[in-house]
Amino acid sequence: MTLEVETSRAGPVAEREAGRVPDPIAERSVDRTVDRITALESRRTRAVTAQGPRRRGEYGARERIDLLLDAGSFTETGLFVRARPTGDGAGRPYGDGVVTGYGTIDNRAVCVFAQDSTVFGGSMGEAFGQKTLALMDLALKTGCPVIGLNDGGGARIQEGVTSLALYAELVRRNVQASGVIPQISVVLGPCAGGAAYSPAITDFTVMVDGASHMFVTGPDVIETVTGERTSAEELGGARTSNTVNGNAHFLAADEVNALDTVRDLLSYLPANNLERPPQYAPGAAPAGRCLDTVVPDRLGQAYDMRDILRSVVDDGELLEVQELFAPNIICALAFVEGGAVGVVANQPLHAAGVLDIDASEKAARFVRFCDAFGIPLLTFADVPGYLSGVRQEQAGIIRRGAKLLYAYAEATVPKVTVVVRKAYGGGYAVMGSKHLGADINLAWPTARIAVMGAEGAVGVLHRRELAAAADPEALRARLVAAYESTYGTPYLAAERGYIDAVIAPRDTRAHICRALRTLRGKRAPMPERRHGNIPL
C-alpha cells in the first residue's frame, strides 16, 4: 500500500522530467533571443517617436540630421539615455531632448548633435548635457568637425544647478576644441541665456531668417527690468545677429539653406589642425573683366573689390563670412589652384574701405581662424586708414583695432598681400604688411603707400605757405601733384624692400599662384609660451 502511494506521488514529477508534461514555471523563465530583439525594436521605436509637437519649422531633430549628412551615414549614440528617476512620476523620455551621433559629409567624418524641441522643449538637463559632452569628447579624440543644431529652451529649470553646471562644462569643451577641430553652430530656433554662449565660442554660426533668435535675456525680462519694449526679432533675430552685432556669420533663407551652407563651408576646411586643408583639382581661371581697368582713375571713386577677388580665385567663387556685418571689409573663403585660402580685403564701396572697430574685430577673428587651421591668407589692401572720430575713440578703437594687428602678426600660415590702391597710415601696416610678417608683398602701379593722402599731407606740411599764398588753390594743386609723384606710388616702399614686386594687375593671379606654391612648405617657429595676451 505504501509503495503504491509513493509511486503515485512521484509519477507527475517523473513525467515532467521526461518531458511528457510541460512545466509552467520553466516556460515562464525561457529567455528567447527573438523576444529580446522584438523588445529592442519596440524600445527603439518609442525612443525615436516625437514626444510632442515641434516648436516650429518643417523638420524634426533627426530629419535635420538626415538633411545635413550623407544619405544613410548617420550612427546615433546615446539613444536610450534617460534622466535619472526622481520619484515624482515625471516622464523620462529616451534621448532626453538631444540627438547625438556621427556620420559623413561628402564622405568626410563629422560629429553632430541636434536639440529636440519635442522633448522638454529641447532644454538641457543632466542626461542631455552628458550626451552632448560625450559627443564633444568623441570629436576631439577622432579629430573631426562637430556641428550643433540648436533649437532649445535653455537650462531645464526642474534640474536646477545641474543644468547650469553642464552649460559651463560644454563651454569648457568648446574652448578645448577651439583651434583643434572646426566647430559650427546652426541656430534653427531659440537659443537664449546660457545656451547662447556655446555658439558664441564656436567658429561659425548660421541662423535662419525669421526663425532663429539668440540673446542672453529675452524681451519679457528686459521689459520687466529696464522698461524697454522690444521683440525677439529686434533683440537677437537672425538679421540683427548678422547685420548689427555680428554674433552670426551666415544668414540662411530657410533650414535647408542653412544646412547646405554648413556642407559648403566644410568643403574649405580641414578635419582638424593637424591636417592640411582639402586640395581639389585646380579650378578654372576666371575669364572676367580685365583687371587693368578695374581701379578708377579718380582716386576718390569707389569700385567693387569683389570684381578683383573673383578674377583671382578659382572659378570666380567666394564664400563670404559675415557678409552683412562690417561690409567695409571682406572676409571670404576661396580656392586658388584647388587649395583653400582665406581672403581679407578692404571694400571701397562701403565707407571707402576704412577700418573701424567692427571691421577690425571681424577680420581679426577670421585671420586667427585661418591661422589655427593652416589656411593661407590672401590680403588685398585699399585702405585710407583707421576711422577717426569721437565715437570710435571712446568705444575703444585703439584697443579693439589692435586686435587685427595682433592677429596678422601672430599668424604663421603663408601670407600674400596685394596693395591695390590706397595704403595709408596704420591701415598700411595692419593690412598684411611685410612688417607684420607677410611673406610675399605685391603692389599694383596704382598703389599709394604713404603716411596719409596727398590732400591731408599738403595741408599739414604746407599750412603756412598756403595761408600766405596769393592763389592758395593753385599752390595746393602743385604741391599735391608733387606729393603724389614722390609719395603716392609703390616705388618708395619697393626701394626699401617692403614690396617684393610691382606687377601689372592682369598678372595678379599668376603671381599669387606662384607665391602660394613656393610657400606651401613654410615653417615659422614661435617662442615657447603658454599663450599670447591679445587685447580683448
Side-chain angles (χ1 to χ4, degrees):
M1 187 68 177
T2 304
L3 181 60
E4 291 177 359
V5 171
E6 289 177 354
T7 302
S8 65
R9 287 176 180 172
V13 174
E15 289 181 356
R16 283 198 299 270
E17 289 176 351
R20 290 189 293 270
V21 178
D23 185 348
I25 296 176
E27 278 198 343
R28 286 198 300 271
S29 64
V30 169
D31 189 2
R32 298 190 302 173
T33 301
V34 65
D35 295 332
R36 283 182 170 255
I37 293 174
T38 301
L40 167 64
E41 296 301 332
S42 175
R43 198 175 291 249
R44 181 179 288 144
T45 299
R46 295 200 307 274
V48 301
T49 301
Q51 301 296 308
R54 292 196 290 269
R55 180 180 289 109
R56 59 170 61 81
E58 301 176 45
Y59 306 103
R62 288 183 175 82
E63 293 170 313
R64 288 165 171 169
I65 291 174
D66 288 341
L67 286 169
L68 174 67
L69 302 183
D70 296 338
S73 71
F74 181 58
T75 299
E76 186 166 348
T77 60
L79 176 63
F80 298 127
V81 170
R82 294 200 290 181
R84 300 186 192 198
T86 57
D88 59 1
R92 297 169 55 227
Y94 290 117
D96 203 49
V98 65
V99 180
T100 59
Y102 53 89
T104 62
I105 291 178
D106 294 331
N107 294 317
R108 301 171 67 205
V110 297
C111 286
V112 60
F113 68 85
Q115 297 170 356
D116 186 354
S117 64
T118 70
V119 179
F120 299 128
S123 61
M124 179 183 279
E126 181 184 23
F128 178 124
Q130 293 294 353
K131 282 181 66 175
T132 309
L133 296 181
L135 184 81
M136 292 290 297
D137 291 340
L138 177 64
L140 271 169
K141 284 189 291 187
T142 57
C144 72
V146 64
I147 304 158
L149 308 183
N150 296 269
D151 183 9
R156 193 172 300 168
I157 298 173
Q158 305 93 304
E159 298 199 23
V161 70
T162 302
S163 61
L164 299 178
L166 285 160
Y167 269 127
E169 287 278 0
L170 179 57
V171 166
R172 185 159 68 96
R173 294 303 198 287
N174 290 137
V175 172
Q176 290 172 344
S178 181
V180 180
I181 55 174
Q183 301 179 81
I184 301 173
S185 296
V186 186
V187 182
L188 299 167
C191 186
Y197 288 110
S198 177
I201 294 173
T202 60
D203 299 308
F204 299 101
T205 299
V206 184
M207 297 182 72
V208 177
D209 197 11
S212 306
H213 303 100
M214 188 164 59
F215 38 69
V216 174
T217 308
D220 294 339
V221 176
I222 286 178
E223 184 175 0
T224 301
V225 175
T226 69
E228 295 176 284
R229 290 190 175 183
T230 185
S231 65
E233 190 65 31
E234 178 188 25
L235 188 62
R239 286 201 171 269
T240 298
S241 298
N242 272 273
T243 62
V244 179
N245 56 40
N247 287 336
H249 301 81
F250 299 97
L251 178 67
D254 53 35
E255 291 191 13
V256 174
N257 181 225
L259 300 175
D260 285 344
T261 299
V262 174
R263 293 178 64 93
D264 192 17
L265 174 60
L266 283 171
S267 69
Y268 294 88
L269 310 181
N272 55 67
N273 65 324
L274 300 180
E275 290 190 4
R276 285 185 177 273
Q279 180 72 39
Y280 303 96
R289 58 190 294 190
C290 180
L291 290 182
D292 290 354
T293 61
V294 169
V295 175
D297 292 332
R298 188 163 60 85
L299 183 60
Q301 185 175 340
Y303 63 93
D304 193 344
M305 179 63 80
R306 287 171 296 194
D307 290 336
I308 295 175
L309 303 182
R310 292 185 181 123
S311 296
V312 169
V313 302
D314 289 1
D315 302 312
E317 293 182 358
L318 297 166
L319 179 63
E320 288 197 48
V321 177
Q322 291 187 300
E323 181 179 2
L324 303 177
F325 179 70
N328 40 320
I329 198 161
I330 296 169
C331 296
L333 292 164
F335 294 108
V336 173
E337 290 196 312
V341 295
V343 180
V344 180
N346 307 109
Q347 174 56 292
L349 281 183
H350 295 278
V354 71
L355 287 171
D356 56 10
I357 288 171
D358 287 345
S360 299
E361 293 185 332
K362 169 184 170 179
R365 183 172 173 84
F366 182 74
V367 167
R368 299 194 85 211
F369 172 81
C370 291
D371 185 48
F373 290 100
I375 300 173
L377 286 164
L378 184 55
T379 303
F380 286 80
D382 185 353
V383 57
Y386 278 98
L387 181 62
S388 59
V390 174
R391 184 173 298 177
Q392 287 282 306
E393 293 288 355
Q394 291 181 346
I397 193 169
I398 295 174
R399 172 178 55 84
R400 296 164 76 179
K403 294 178 186 180
L404 185 53
L405 284 157
Y406 190 104
Y408 266 113
E410 178 188 47
T412 59
V413 292
K415 292 180 282 190
V416 179
T417 298
V418 181
V419 180
V420 175
R421 189 167 63 173
K422 291 174 288 186
Y424 293 154
Y428 157 72
V430 69
M431 289 299 296
S433 69
K434 183 76 75 177
H435 325 289
L436 292 184
D439 301 295
I440 301 295
N441 291 71
L442 309 170
W444 287 9
T446 50
R448 292 168 166 83
I449 302 173
V451 174
M452 62 176 64
E455 292 286 348
V458 166
V460 171
L461 295 173
H462 302 283
R463 183 175 56 253
R464 293 180 181 175
E465 297 171 53
L466 291 169
D471 188 351
E473 290 306 316
L475 177 59
R476 177 182 293 276
R478 290 196 301 273
L479 292 172
V480 165
Y483 184 93
E484 284 283 8
S485 63
T486 304
Y487 301 103
T489 73
Y491 300 110
L492 188 59
E495 288 177 16
R496 300 292 184 273
Y498 305 153
I499 295 295
D500 294 299
V502 180
I503 62 174
R506 61 180 175 273
D507 298 328
T508 303
R509 176 178 164 89
H511 278 273
I512 288 172
C513 289
R514 286 197 292 268
L516 291 175
R517 276 185 239 130
T518 300
L519 295 168
R520 197 165 290 158
K522 177 184 174 182
R523 296 289 181 268
M526 296 289 285
E528 289 189 14
R529 57 181 175 182
R530 292 179 65 87
H531 59 75
N533 189 18
I534 188 171
L536 297 174

